[in-house]
Amino acid sequence: IGIEDASMRNGRTLSDQWADSVVVRPRTTEQHITVNKRLVLGFAISILTLIVVTAIAITLSVSFERCAAESSGGLAANGSSNSKWKKSRDGNISHRDSEDEQQPWRHLRLPATLRPRHYDLPLSVYMENFTFSGEVNIEFECVYSTKLIVMHTDRLEVEKVLVYSDSKKAGAMRIQRRFHYQPKQVYVIALHREMKPLRTYKINITFHALIEHELLGFFRSSYVLNGERRFLAVTQFSPTHARKAFPCFDEPIYKATFRVSLKHESSYQSLSNMPVEASTSDEDGWVTNHFSRTPRMSTYYLAWAVCNFTYREAVIRLYARPDAIQSGSGDYALHITKRLLQFYQDYFKVKYYLPKLDLLAVPKHPYAAMENWGLSVFVEQKILLDPDVSSFSYQMELTMVVVHEICHQWFGDLVTPVWWEDFWLKEGFAHYFEYIRLELRGLVMLLLQVQLISLPILISVSVCLQDYLMTHMYGNAARDDLWNKFSEAMQREGKDINITQVMDRWTLQMGYPVVTISKNDSLDNSVTISQEHFIYDTDAKIQNPELFNKSFKWQIPLTLAVGNSSYISTETIIWVSNKTETHRVGHVDGETWLLGNINQTGYFRVNYDLHNWRLLIQQLMSNPTIISVGNRAGLIDDVFNLARAGYLPQNVPLQMILYLAQETEFLPWHAASRALYQLDKLLDRTEDHSLFSDYVLRQVEPKYLKLGWPATSPDGSFMQVAYQTEELQREVMMLACSFGNKHCHRQAVSLISDWISSNKNRIPPNVRDIVYCTGVSLMDEDVWEFIWMKFHSSTAISEKKVLLEALTCSDNIFLLNRLLNLSLTSDLVPDQDVIDVIIHVGRNPLGRHLAWRYFREKWDILNSRHNIMKLLMIILIISVFYLLLLKEFILTSGGESAPAFARAVEIVQANV
């Protein structure tokens, strides 16, 4: 979900009066302020320096994240699991100097000399002091002669190490020395004598460690039940954190089987990837659960948890806080997971191979969810919902997360990428299936924004995927393994097409192209098609041409149709391989328009000559339904982004949205709103903002007045409508309230006032985020306190999320600062939500400076509690807001963009 879609925009420029007296607060413009160019330059340098310094600090503080960035260590391409492993590891050792050859622990990747087969991992978990101890027994094969065992450990205290040979010679092998090399998080055991190829050995390591507060490795979390704080401990090993829980070969290629056992107090229960095989109890009140042996899997998919949750079962089990299970908050996720499991088995024609699948809802987690094989872990906000207070959008978001994670049981767990540079092999499919058409709980999952390359050959994709999964099951795969399966399927169809050559252009080159289509005046019924690397910052492209590769070319399956006021042709497919090509199409005259990338099936943008854009706009104004819904949304998305990047004048997208009053579908409105919010942020607090806001409102108000607000039945319940209708109504309402429609403001304030006076929330769930945010921005401090109180008392996860985000919409800097402080000092704000609070305050124009200052001042606390990727997200988002602020300085000091935009609005208004 994109930044713009994830939350309600902040209401702004409004007085603190209520209901009938709501008026727009005059905006102070900077038209008389002249900003010295040196001041602008100094401001820019200060911000960039701050970003760089912070990034360096992060890099130094978390060296373990290097693995994601340094993926140069040779990746396997084709072949069997064994050959793929050897290629991957051989590539890592092929360029070593003599010193590194003697010190393999200095490398990014583990040496290719050993390969694990099986882990026995008994652990004892002490929840009273948050520690654990264990003994790992690893059976491994020697691939190349070596005296060294190099494996991963991090934050583990190693007590004892023993190494045994499979030979008949009894006793442990002599260890010359052993040490931990922290820069690469490895533990090195140097043996007295060499291990031989094709021989099997065993290593036994005894260790202990802390159950960390940081949400990585084996970490702890807590929740409150009936006034009592309860604790749990759970794992998060992806991408490189299994080494924090036990010594291991912690790279995706090193698949092995695992047998876990967990000893803990009998007041707790334990879970892992596999079912409990046997359970034993001690006289001292401790229990040991022995879990079945896993299939071959990567270390980062191993998982376990120790908690006192309860569960609900429907073939699949969902574990959560007892009160959440009792209230039925997990029933929806349990229901759709059951149907999804069957869907994927039918679609892939590959069964789910594990004997069970558990879902675990935890109060804190570094990600939305983690697809551990057989034990998928979700943060509560992404799997629990109360249907009485949850909006349809929240329900849809939850559905997409579950769809994503269950898909990983095949793409990721069963077949794992060889190395992180092919991470998209699992994430791409999981993301795709978020949007594919699934009928879940009677709701149709719509294909909203899929922009995948469609192959113009009729082959069964599911058969290819089945072949891919069956060939590489329990093993690893690289991108060429997938492309080869598609090529083989095409060869069986008699098509000699090398998919690898086609797809490497898309997966190995940076970015994506823009395709420009224009009529060829010198040849009848012909068009000229060109392609180039699409870049937003055209100035940077001119000033720093070395940063942009002009030789980039893609093999593009361009679908093309021609039409006029009453007709559109069937689409044709043109493969575009060169920088510029000429092609003959159907009859083309002065009144015929061209339309490319039909229904947005290609991952590229399409531009046209200005005459063609005018014809398309005329078509939308006169009879928009000639062009499909998907194409209308695509045209809006393309035209705004092309103008933003400088490919088109600003007045072209503004002319296009004039037709929106006739638009009855959700997708085009959604595309328009995303683009308009971006422009709103760019122009915020400039002299042209009111001109822009007025123009947007004129396009939005007719549809807003027609759709109105959600209707209620005579009994006070909310009437159900079709998904698209509900989402369209919500989208238009959000635009109306955000850009200052007085009726929308009065309605929101009235609903909040009714809630306060009656203590009964009659606000429709699907628009609560809009109403809450608008009310907080319009009304006085008492309303903020009321929302804070409701956040404190609410038990519904989805409602708490919406209430917390609404608190960041205030125009009162004191309240925003108070919320930031409460996020770290109050138990009322869960740790999981602290990062979201900072981000949402940073999105508020009045909160940018506050959020950035707070982030810097509280860095030590945040760094100790939260996942580094979330902290990087804060830096990224707030930096963007600062750059927008810099843009405001430039615009008000005589820059060209604002006047040009103002002229564009005036031109469109004059034409209207």
Side-chain angles (χ1 to χ4, degrees):
I1 296 175
I3 290 174
E4 294 297 339
D5 295 335
S7 67
M8 167 60 187
R9 289 177 66 261
N10 179 55
R12 302 189 305 283
T13 74
L14 302 163
S15 74
D16 293 320
Q17 301 178 46
W18 287 33
D20 295 335
S21 58
V22 171
V23 295
V24 176
R25 180 186 302 144
R27 181 182 295 271
T28 58
T29 67
E30 292 90 10
Q31 58 183 347
H32 301 298
I33 299 175
T34 301
V35 181
N36 189 283
K37 291 184 178 179
R38 291 182 181 178
L39 176 62
V40 176
L41 180 61
F43 182 81
I45 293 173
S46 299
I47 296 301
L48 293 175
T49 302
L50 190 59
I51 295 170
V52 170
V53 170
T54 308
I56 292 173
I58 292 171
T59 303
L60 293 176
S61 65
V62 277
S63 60
F64 57 80
E65 294 293 343
R66 298 177 197 171
C67 295
E70 301 180 40
S71 57
S72 58
L75 182 65
N78 300 301
S80 66
S81 179
N82 283 351
S83 63
K84 185 184 286 90
W85 180 85
K86 290 178 180 177
K87 288 178 182 177
S88 176
R89 310 309 305 136
D90 289 347
N92 186 45
I93 63 173
S94 58
H95 301 291
R96 299 176 180 173
D97 55 33
S98 57
E99 180 183 0
D100 280 352
E101 187 68 41
Q102 301 301 318
Q103 299 181 339
W105 55 85
R106 295 182 180 274
H107 300 159
L108 172 66
R109 303 283 298 274
L110 294 177
T113 51
L114 307 176
R115 180 167 54 191
R117 288 182 173 179
H118 176 72
Y119 294 76
D120 278 318
L121 184 58
L123 298 170
S124 297
V125 181
Y126 308 99
M127 294 297 292
E128 72 277 5
N129 62 1
F130 304 120
T131 63
F132 69 102
S133 61
E135 176 185 347
V136 64
N137 296 278
I138 308 173
E139 178 185 319
F140 62 91
E141 175 189 354
C142 179
V143 180
Y144 302 106
S145 298
T146 182
K147 292 183 179 181
L148 297 176
I149 302 173
V150 183
M151 57 197 306
H152 289 108
T153 65
D154 185 29
R155 307 183 192 179
L156 301 177
E157 292 294 330
V158 174
E159 299 170 1
K160 185 173 67 173
V161 178
L162 296 171
V163 181
Y164 298 93
S165 170
D166 65 350
S167 66
K168 296 181 180 179
K169 187 175 181 179
M173 299 176 69
R174 180 179 170 186
I175 296 176
Q176 192 171 19
R177 65 173 179 144
R178 57 185 175 92
F179 60 92
H180 183 234
Y181 185 65
Q182 179 56 33
K184 291 298 186 287
Q185 299 176 354
V186 294
Y187 198 82
V188 182
I189 300 106
L191 300 173
H192 184 70
R193 63 185 175 89
E194 203 171 58
M195 293 179 288
K196 303 299 181 183
L198 304 180
R199 295 270 295 273
T200 302
Y201 298 83
K202 291 184 179 180
I203 184 170
N204 175 281
I205 302 177
T206 305
F207 61 95
H208 65 273
L210 297 174
I211 302 175
E212 299 280 359
H213 182 74
E214 181 186 12
L215 307 182
L216 296 170
F218 189 25
F219 68 91
R220 67 182 184 267
S221 181
S222 67
Y223 62 98
V224 176
L225 182 66
N226 300 325
E228 174 193 357
R229 182 163 294 279
R230 296 187 176 188
F231 292 91
L232 64 143
V234 66
T235 58
Q236 170 56 39
F237 291 161
S238 176
T240 57
H241 306 296
R243 63 193 70 175
K244 290 180 172 64
F246 64 104
C248 57
F249 297 82
D250 198 13
E251 293 182 7
I253 196 71
Y254 289 115
K255 284 198 167 186
T257 57
F258 298 82
R259 191 182 295 274
V260 176
S261 64
L262 295 172
K263 182 179 181 180
H264 49 80
E265 292 177 271
S266 57
S267 58
Y268 290 90
Q269 62 181 314
S270 53
L271 306 169
S272 189
N273 306 77
M274 301 295 286
V276 174
E277 190 175 58
S279 184
T280 58
S281 299
D282 297 342
E283 294 180 358
D284 58 0
W286 284 63
V287 64
T288 302
N289 284 332
H290 303 270
F291 297 92
S292 301
R293 185 179 183 130
T294 71
R296 288 184 74 246
M297 58 190 288
S298 299
T299 49
Y300 74 93
Y301 282 132
L302 189 66
W304 63 79
V306 176
C307 59
N308 42 28
F309 284 173
T310 55
Y311 66 86
R312 187 158 296 187
E313 186 170 13
V315 179
I316 296 153
R317 285 186 178 182
L318 185 145
Y319 290 83
R321 293 177 286 108
D323 53 337
I325 292 296
Q326 185 176 5
S327 67
S329 296
D331 291 356
Y332 175 74
L334 197 61
H335 174 73
I336 63 172
T337 301
K338 178 182 176 182
R339 298 187 63 179
L340 275 169
L341 206 59
Q342 188 60 52
F343 166 81
Y344 283 129
Q345 291 182 97
D346 294 341
Y347 188 88
F348 299 143
K349 298 179 177 62
V350 177
K351 70 176 185 178
Y352 176 75
Y353 281 97
L354 267 61
K356 62 101 175 175
L357 173 60
D358 293 336
L359 311 179
L360 177 63
V362 296
K364 294 193 297 184
H365 197 268
Y367 308 108
M370 178 62 204
E371 68 274 11
N372 307 307
W373 208 359
L375 180 61
S376 289
V377 181
F378 297 76
V379 68
E380 288 179 338
Q381 293 94 323
K382 301 301 182 183
I383 197 169
L384 302 180
L385 66 79
D386 184 337
D388 293 331
V389 298
S390 298
S391 68
F392 194 92
S393 297
Y394 186 90
Q395 185 177 348
M396 185 67 77
E397 180 183 344
L398 184 151
T399 302
M400 293 169 71
V401 172
V402 176
V403 169
H404 184 107
E405 300 307 320
I406 303 306
C407 181
H408 276 317
Q409 301 294 311
W410 284 264
F411 288 93
D413 296 353
L414 184 64
V415 179
T416 309
V418 169
W419 187 241
W420 301 108
E421 66 185 4
D422 278 336
F423 184 70
W424 63 268
L425 271 178
K426 71 184 188 77
E427 292 302 326
F429 280 106
H431 185 65
Y432 169 73
F433 278 99
E434 289 179 24
Y435 295 100
I436 203 165
R437 191 173 185 268
L438 295 174
E439 291 189 13
L440 302 172
R441 199 185 178 193
L443 304 174
V444 176
M445 296 290 293
L446 297 170
L447 189 64
L448 295 180
Q449 291 176 313
V450 174
Q451 292 180 317
L452 298 177
I453 306 226
S454 64
L455 300 174
I457 295 125
L458 296 176
I459 60 172
S460 174
V461 174
S462 64
V463 172
C464 292
L465 296 183
Q466 179 198 22
D467 197 7
Y468 168 79
L469 290 171
M470 293 298 292
T471 300
H472 302 287
M473 63 192 306
Y474 305 118
N476 300 82
R479 57 182 173 271
D480 285 351
D481 296 317
L482 178 64
W483 306 145
N484 290 340
K485 293 302 178 185
F486 280 100
S487 295
E488 291 169 10
M490 291 190 176
Q491 289 170 3
R492 290 193 293 269
E493 297 279 338
K495 316 287 188 188
D496 188 17
I497 296 179
N498 189 325
I499 296 299
T500 302
Q501 291 180 358
V502 175
M503 297 307 298
D504 277 354
R505 299 287 183 94
W506 295 92
T507 59
L508 301 182
Q509 291 183 157
M510 177 177 62
Y512 58 90
V514 53
V515 175
T516 301
I517 307 171
S518 56
K519 296 172 184 175
N520 190 318
D521 295 330
S522 59
L523 292 174
D524 292 339
N525 301 325
S526 297
V527 295
T528 298
I529 302 171
S530 61
Q531 60 164 297
E532 65 175 295
H533 186 193
F534 178 77
I535 297 170
Y536 279 109
D537 193 344
T538 53
D539 291 337
K541 186 176 180 180
I542 296 171
Q543 297 169 9
N544 302 292
E546 67 278 3
L547 298 178
F548 305 99
N549 194 331
K550 294 183 179 180
S551 66
F552 278 2
K553 289 190 297 184
W554 289 262
Q555 293 192 37
I556 303 171
L558 173 66
T559 51
L560 185 68
V562 297
N564 55 35
S565 59
S566 59
Y567 165 81
I568 184 170
S569 70
T570 56
E571 64 186 74
T572 58
I573 297 172
I574 300 172
W575 277 92
V576 181
S577 303
N578 302 308
K579 279 290 189 179
T580 303
E581 300 179 1
T582 300
H583 293 270
R584 296 186 68 85
V585 294
H587 177 70
V588 177
D589 58 29
E591 299 303 314
T592 303
W593 41 258
L594 303 166
L595 184 64
N597 196 15
I598 304 302
N599 290 321
Q600 301 296 287
T601 53
Y603 192 67
F604 50 88
R605 298 204 177 276
V606 180
N607 194 11
Y608 309 94
D609 58 73
L610 287 177
H611 178 67
N612 197 77
W613 278 115
R614 292 191 189 100
L615 290 174
L616 288 169
I617 292 170
Q618 290 173 13
Q619 182 65 63
L620 292 174
M621 294 293 293
S622 61
N623 185 4
T625 57
I626 289 289
I627 299 174
S628 70
V629 174
N631 280 124
R632 299 201 297 270
L635 283 170
I636 293 172
D637 188 60
D638 277 346
V639 75
F640 272 99
N641 282 282
L642 289 166
R644 175 185 167 195
Y647 292 88
L648 287 173
Q650 290 285 358
N651 65 306
V652 178
L654 294 175
Q655 288 175 338
M656 180 166 286
I657 63 171
L658 286 171
Y659 98 95
L660 283 178
Q662 305 176 58
E663 183 56 73
T664 60
E665 299 289 344
F666 163 68
L667 283 180
W669 274 100
H670 182 62
S673 67
R674 285 164 56 98
L676 292 170
Y677 291 144
Q678 287 180 344
L679 281 175
D680 185 53
K681 283 180 177 170
L682 176 66
L683 296 171
D684 180 56
R685 301 181 185 279
T686 68
E687 60 187 75
D688 299 305
H689 187 271
S690 60
L691 183 66
F692 170 70
S693 295
D694 291 344
Y695 180 78
V696 172
L697 277 179
R698 280 196 292 275
Q699 317 314 317
V700 171
E701 284 176 342
K703 184 61 66 174
Y704 167 75
L705 294 174
K706 182 176 181 180
L707 293 174
W709 283 62
T712 56
S713 301
D715 61 358
S717 62
F718 303 110
M719 296 179 64
Q720 296 294 315
V721 296
Y723 163 71
Q724 287 230 27
T725 302
E726 189 172 15
E727 285 302 285
L728 173 60
Q729 184 181 53
R730 170 186 162 79
E731 197 79 56
V732 173
M733 281 179 56
M734 189 180 297
L735 282 166
C737 275
S738 298
F739 283 94
N741 178 274
K742 292 182 180 180
H743 179 274
C744 193
H745 288 164
R746 292 191 184 98
Q747 186 72 6
V749 168
S750 175
L751 287 169
I752 293 285
S753 302
D754 175 70
W755 185 17
I756 293 173
S757 61
S758 67
N759 202 30
K760 183 176 181 180
N761 193 341
R762 299 183 178 90
I763 304 170
N766 202 41
V767 296
R768 284 186 179 179
D769 56 342
I770 304 173
V771 173
Y772 294 172
C773 187
T774 304
V776 167
S777 68
L778 287 171
M779 302 163 81
D780 60 22
E781 187 174 341
D782 290 341
V783 174
W784 194 94
E785 295 287 355
F786 176 79
I787 296 294
W788 171 255
M789 178 191 69
K790 289 299 182 182
F791 168 76
H792 175 36
S793 61
S794 176
T795 58
I797 297 294
S798 58
E799 182 73 354
K800 289 180 77 72
K801 178 177 182 290
V802 174
L803 289 165
L804 187 61
E805 289 180 5
L807 292 169
T808 69
C809 297
S810 175
D811 278 351
N812 187 319
I813 293 179
F814 168 77
L815 293 176
L816 293 176
N817 196 51
R818 179 184 168 195
L819 180 61
L820 286 170
N821 289 321
L822 285 171
S823 68
L824 277 183
T825 60
S826 172
D827 288 340
L828 300 180
V829 180
D831 281 354
Q832 185 72 31
D833 295 325
V834 171
I835 299 297
D836 290 338
V837 169
I838 300 174
I839 289 175
H840 284 288
V841 170
R843 286 175 177 157
N844 185 331
L846 294 177
R848 293 172 190 164
H849 300 285
L850 286 176
W852 186 238
R853 184 184 66 194
Y854 186 81
F855 179 73
R856 286 179 294 155
E857 291 175 352
K858 304 299 182 182
W859 165 256
D860 290 339
I861 299 175
L862 293 168
N863 189 32
S864 66
R865 291 191 187 180
H866 296 281
N867 182 290
I868 191 64
M869 295 309 295
K870 286 201 168 186
L871 300 182
L872 287 171
M873 182 61 71
I874 290 183
I875 292 178
L876 174 64
I877 291 175
I878 298 181
S879 298
V880 168
F881 291 138
Y882 263 96
L883 292 175
L884 288 172
L885 186 61
L886 174 61
K887 187 73 170 180
E888 292 175 13
F889 274 101
I890 295 172
L891 293 178
T892 56
S893 61
E896 291 298 324
S897 298
F901 188 85
R903 287 195 300 272
V905 175
E906 291 169 357
I907 290 170
V908 173
Q909 288 178 330
N911 290 337
V912 173

